[in-house]
Amino acid sequence: MTVAKVFIVILLFLASAGCTPKEQAHRPARKLTVVCTLFPLYDMARSIGGEYADVSLLLPPGVEAHNFEPRPGDILRLNDADIFIYTGHFMEPWAESLIKGLDTGRLLIINASSGISLMKQGNGWRQSGGHVHAEGMDPHIWLDFDYARAMVETILSGFIARDPAHGVTYRHNAATYAARLEELDHKFRVGLANCGSSAIIHGGHFAFGYLAKRYRLQYVSAFPPSGESEPNARQMAEMVDLIRKTGTGTLFIEELTSPRLADTLARETGSQLMMLHAAHNVSRDDLNRGVTFPALMERNLESLRQGLQCR
Ligand SMILES: [Zn+2]
């Protein structure tokens, strides 16, 4: 066979690779076992792994992600897994402690934030008002869809390293997912370009800094940036004042946490409440319904367009 012929054969193989029947002949008896800390990672990993991976979410449905306390069974679960995926120590400090207790000879650990420089966490209005708190870094990188695509790339590399035999399928699946993220980015850019208000006033913890920055919106969170405690009386008063001043008439609230604070703010200011889903984790209902990360983001876009009066 000449070099040119070999080249053509390779090209033909690559062209047909999207359909995957050729790979089924050498499918391993066991699927890759993949455990992910957060919902976006879970959604990315199951999309990339497709039929060759058994992907699960470490967080039980509906559980708060930042301050999760791993259970003894989680260590056993990870010791039996092939791949563990988390986003880094600013988001899941508990994951790093968990890793220390593992027998990692077999397990591939993927830090999905590798290569991404985190931005500082901080409310614009607090900075302008001279009340900047010591805050650390903002770990909610999946809410910037470019970073989300970088995370897909990082996860893909892990899958290929652990199971090179199905690399062609993994690459194909990852490309499909990345294209979906690109489409989302485009929809957000167009959908949020022309709005009556540019301020996302959020009665939840500081999670949407990346999203706001990407689409040139202002973002204010009612919680102190650590996300661990509720605002004090002075911060609440500042928040009420700000909602009145911006006059957006909309207070965005978050999923999975007590709406008590948001209800109070809404009552004080006469704002309407709209849900923004930060997607750290999902409810049991959403999980059972097979909700996807892009689907949650589509819901967010609807809420934002309505709440910010976009045309
Ligand atoms: Zn968060």
Side-chain angles (χ1 to χ4, degrees):
M1 210 184 258
T2 65
V3 173
K5 273 184 186 159
V6 171
F7 209 76
I8 288 166
V9 168
I10 290 171
L11 285 176
L12 285 174
F13 174 75
L14 289 176
S16 68
C19 333
T20 70
K22 287 203 176 83
E23 290 185 349
Q24 301 202 350
H26 49 86
R27 189 195 303 194
R30 206 176 59 81
K31 294 180 176 190
L32 279 184
T33 306
V34 183
V35 180
C36 308
T37 55
L38 306 183
F39 180 73
L41 304 171
Y42 165 77
D43 196 46
M44 291 166 185
R46 70 175 164 176
S47 302
I48 294 170
E51 60 179 316
Y52 300 120
D54 222 332
V55 181
S56 64
L57 188 53
L58 187 72
L59 288 177
V63 164
E64 201 280 323
H66 289 270
N67 306 308
F68 176 63
E69 285 181 21
R71 305 144 298 179
D74 292 332
I75 294 194
L76 299 176
R77 199 166 146 195
L78 288 185
N79 277 335
D80 281 341
D82 298 297
I83 299 178
F84 174 58
I85 312 173
Y86 74 121
T87 66
H89 66 268
F90 289 103
M91 179 60 228
E92 312 103 306
W94 49 268
E96 294 203 323
S97 342
L98 188 61
I99 291 167
K100 287 193 190 112
L102 295 177
D103 164 21
T104 51
R106 207 172 73 85
L107 183 70
L108 175 69
I109 296 168
I110 302 177
N111 177 339
S113 70
S114 74
I116 296 174
S117 23
L118 304 186
M119 68 180 196
K120 278 204 178 121
Q121 206 157 229
N123 277 332
W125 67 286
R126 286 210 178 107
Q127 278 160 355
S128 58
H131 307 292
V132 183
H133 300 255
E135 290 149 1
M137 309 310 278
D138 184 347
H140 304 90
I141 46 175
W142 58 93
L143 295 169
D144 177 307
F145 302 136
D146 252 9
Y147 287 158
R149 281 197 293 154
M151 292 164 75
V152 167
E153 233 2 82
T154 301
I155 295 171
L156 169 65
S157 305
F159 269 77
I160 293 173
R162 204 67 178 77
D163 180 21
H166 298 111
V168 172
T169 303
Y170 297 146
R171 278 198 189 88
H172 171 80
N173 294 344
T176 305
Y177 200 90
R180 182 77 179 89
L181 291 170
E182 222 171 331
E183 182 200 346
L184 267 182
D185 182 43
H186 178 73
K187 282 187 180 174
F188 271 69
R189 203 170 288 289
V190 172
L192 299 174
N194 193 5
C195 305
S197 166
S198 65
I200 303 175
I201 313 288
H202 190 213
H205 81 283
F206 191 96
F208 291 94
Y210 290 99
L211 186 141
K213 185 170 177 228
R214 189 161 182 87
Y215 304 112
R216 296 163 195 265
L217 300 168
Q218 291 165 281
Y219 175 59
V220 180
S221 151
F223 281 72
S226 68
E228 282 166 24
S229 52
E230 294 207 343
N232 59 32
R234 179 181 58 75
Q235 289 163 333
M236 281 288 276
E238 281 179 346
M239 197 73 191
V240 168
D241 198 39
L242 185 84
I243 293 172
R244 290 198 178 122
K245 262 192 224 147
T246 54
T248 61
T250 303
L251 178 65
F252 293 95
I253 55 170
E254 72 182 341
E255 76 288 356
L256 304 180
T257 51
S258 156
R260 192 175 51 82
L261 170 74
D263 281 344
T264 308
L265 287 170
R267 227 184 8 256
E268 286 278 319
T269 58
S271 311
Q272 64 168 335
L273 297 180
M274 303 225 64
M275 169 76 77
L276 272 188
H277 204 306
H280 309 68
N281 194 1
V282 295
S283 66
R284 187 172 296 283
D285 274 359
D286 272 344
L287 196 65
N288 290 343
R289 269 197 295 265
V291 74
T292 64
F293 173 66
L296 290 176
M297 296 303 108
E298 296 269 6
R299 284 189 212 163
N300 281 354
L301 180 57
E302 284 297 308
S303 292
L304 286 168
R305 283 183 47 79
Q306 213 178 314
L308 303 179
Q309 298 112 45
C310 307
R311 290 168 293 276

